Amino acid sequence: MLKPVPVEPVLSVKELYTLYYFHHESGYRFAGESHDFWEIIYVDKGRASGINGTEPYTLEKGQIIFHHPNVFHNFRTDGAPDAEDGADCDIFVVSFNGELEMLEQFRDHIFTLSMHERHLFREMIEEGKQVYDKPFGKNLVYRKDAPHEPEHLPGAKQMIRNLLEQLLISLYRKQQECPAQVQSLPMQSLGMEYQIVRQVVTFLDQNIYNNITFVDVASHFNLSETQLKKLFREVTGYSVMQYYRKSVVGRIEYHIRQMDKNFTELADLFNFSSIHYFSKFYKRETGHTLREYLKSSQDVSLP
């Protein structure tokens, strides 16, 4: 009599958050965010660059990067002057969570995809169109007005999960067997300017609760304000304080989602002089209030 052979998964995707395909024109910039789930950025056409934690990165066509949970990241189009498609960029974004401990070894790495792996992305998009009957270009796995509406085609979300797990296992094998197709960050040869920017980003992250100023940063590194501004923007495409403020907002929202402190305690944690200035800072940076974010984070239900 045959005995069953147990199947022990090496990873498991449990939740889907986003599934997007974007076309971005030359000059597009996304200021950045951090969140408590995993995210993949895949460049289908053009070239993109940004910061992943403390590391600057550049993605060419056919490459992906993983954004780990609670790591600040941003993005901008970065087409080569002689590129066939100009400086426009098409990217695929998928974010998810689950039992994914083995993905920790993907930290600060860029993967060059095989044709099979690229095809898995395209299949995910096609399945995403079948989750809800809605215009393409939206978040294909989530619709806020009706998150529990039945799938347009039964099993579409499960197919996306299966395709994503296939991709993750393929990348894991590639890292083990074909290291030449996996590159550690940063892709750029680390000249002095990149070393300084990495140190600045690390300093900002270490002081995320201290409400520091641009003068504090320049003084710490013994750089003139003009020199620091130029250097940081040339490497990252963003200003020092824009990066810092977005990091602070991301950490504030993390604490709100965890519901581990009230707003007064958060104002004190982030070294604001009062709840009034703390609330004003958050409203200025995000366009909505702390209470609005708290409500939206509680209302969101996954499909």
Side-chain angles (χ1 to χ4, degrees):
M1 182 176 179
L2 291 176
K3 294 183 178 180
V5 177
V7 178
E8 299 178 359
V10 296
L11 57 81
S12 178
V13 173
K14 301 290 190 182
E15 302 163 328
L16 297 171
Y17 287 80
T18 60
L19 183 67
Y20 285 112
Y21 190 95
F22 292 105
H23 172 77
H24 291 302
E25 296 183 352
S26 174
Y28 174 83
R29 292 183 177 183
F30 170 58
E33 64 180 358
S34 61
H35 38 63
D36 56 0
F37 45 82
W38 293 82
E39 184 173 84
I40 295 174
I41 303 293
Y42 164 55
V43 173
D44 194 32
K45 294 180 182 177
R47 186 168 66 178
S49 62
I51 284 181
N52 185 44
T54 62
E55 301 289 355
Y57 71 88
T58 297
L59 296 179
E60 305 289 345
K61 178 180 177 180
Q63 293 185 324
I64 72 168
I65 192 170
F66 283 80
H67 297 315
H68 281 53
N70 302 313
V71 172
F72 179 87
H73 52 274
N74 57 28
F75 162 83
R76 59 176 170 157
T77 56
D78 190 23
D82 57 350
E84 293 181 5
D85 299 322
D88 289 0
C89 180
D90 291 355
I91 66 165
F92 179 109
V93 180
V94 56
S95 57
F96 52 95
N97 239 335
E99 297 174 6
L100 303 164
E101 290 77 10
M102 73 175 230
L103 301 191
E104 285 298 327
Q105 61 192 294
F106 292 174
R107 187 180 296 273
D108 299 335
H109 285 81
I110 287 172
F111 291 81
T112 300
L113 301 188
S114 66
M115 292 306 296
H116 171 66
E117 290 161 347
R118 297 184 192 193
H119 184 66
L120 290 174
F121 272 116
R122 295 190 178 96
E123 286 192 74
M124 276 188 264
I125 284 291
E126 293 306 311
E127 289 295 333
K129 295 176 184 178
Q130 305 301 330
V131 176
Y132 295 130
D133 185 13
K134 62 180 181 178
F136 184 58
K138 302 294 184 181
N139 179 355
L140 296 175
V141 300
Y142 180 72
R143 189 164 74 183
K144 192 169 185 178
D145 59 342
H148 299 295
E149 182 180 328
E151 295 169 307
H152 186 57
L153 186 67
K157 286 178 286 189
Q158 185 174 352
M159 287 292 290
I160 295 168
R161 183 193 69 187
N162 292 344
L163 291 163
L164 180 56
E165 289 179 345
Q166 287 184 57
L167 175 68
L168 297 175
I169 292 170
S170 178
L171 295 175
Y172 174 72
R173 291 176 175 177
K174 177 180 292 186
Q175 191 176 47
Q176 304 300 310
E177 301 168 8
C178 307
Q181 297 182 45
V182 184
Q183 188 160 7
S184 298
L185 288 180
M187 286 189 64
Q188 303 90 340
S189 176
L190 270 185
M192 181 60 69
E193 66 274 17
Y194 283 100
Q195 294 182 36
I196 294 173
V197 168
R198 289 177 69 188
Q199 292 171 14
V200 171
V201 169
T202 299
F203 177 76
L204 295 175
D205 289 346
Q206 290 172 343
N207 286 276
I208 200 165
Y209 295 108
N210 294 332
N211 201 8
I212 59 175
T213 67
F214 181 71
V215 174
D216 295 330
V217 182
S219 176
H220 179 83
F221 290 95
N222 197 27
L223 294 169
S224 72
E225 294 181 26
T226 301
Q227 185 181 11
L228 178 57
K229 284 179 183 177
K230 183 174 184 294
L231 183 63
F232 199 88
R233 187 170 288 279
E234 283 182 351
V235 172
T236 69
Y238 301 90
S239 75
V240 172
M241 297 312 292
Q242 182 184 45
Y243 173 90
Y244 181 67
R245 291 192 300 269
K246 292 298 180 183
S247 296
V248 170
V249 166
R251 191 65 60 86
I252 290 170
E253 292 178 345
Y254 167 76
H255 285 293
I256 291 175
R257 292 193 300 271
Q258 296 298 309
M259 294 192 297
D260 55 359
K261 290 178 174 57
N262 61 39
F263 294 150
T264 301
E265 290 170 334
L266 284 178
D268 185 60
L269 177 65
F270 285 90
N271 206 26
F272 283 84
S273 59
S274 70
I275 183 66
H276 169 74
Y277 286 113
F278 177 62
S279 301
K280 187 176 180 180
F281 164 82
Y282 184 80
K283 177 68 179 295
R284 185 181 70 240
E285 294 300 316
T286 67
H288 51 260
T289 67
L290 292 162
R291 293 193 181 281
E292 286 171 342
Y293 181 78
L294 174 61
K295 185 177 186 305
S296 69
S297 66
Q298 293 172 336
D299 287 346
V300 168
S301 299
L302 295 178

